[in-house]
Amino acid sequence: MDAIQQHMIDSYRMARLGESAPPLPGTHDVAVLRELRDYRRFEAVLAGRLATGRLRAALARLFTPHHPRQHPPACR
């Protein structure tokens, strides 16, 4: 059973009981995602890591070419 069908059943049941209908599926999705993002940032700060830009920094480390350091030849 998908979310819309379940919502219709719940709405019917709440109407029969004289209560208010539940919110539509997906109504609070954006708020939940924002709270998850904020929580992960908070946990990063507590752990001493960067709170923002972590994904971009990780991708930059993956895709920038690694150049080994060229040391000058030792004096003879």
Side-chain angles (χ1 to χ4, degrees), residues 33-45:
L33 291 175
R34 282 189 186 129
E35 288 179 23
L36 179 63
R37 180 197 61 198
D38 292 343
Y39 178 75
R40 290 188 52 118
R41 286 180 178 173
F42 176 71
E43 289 290 321
V45 169

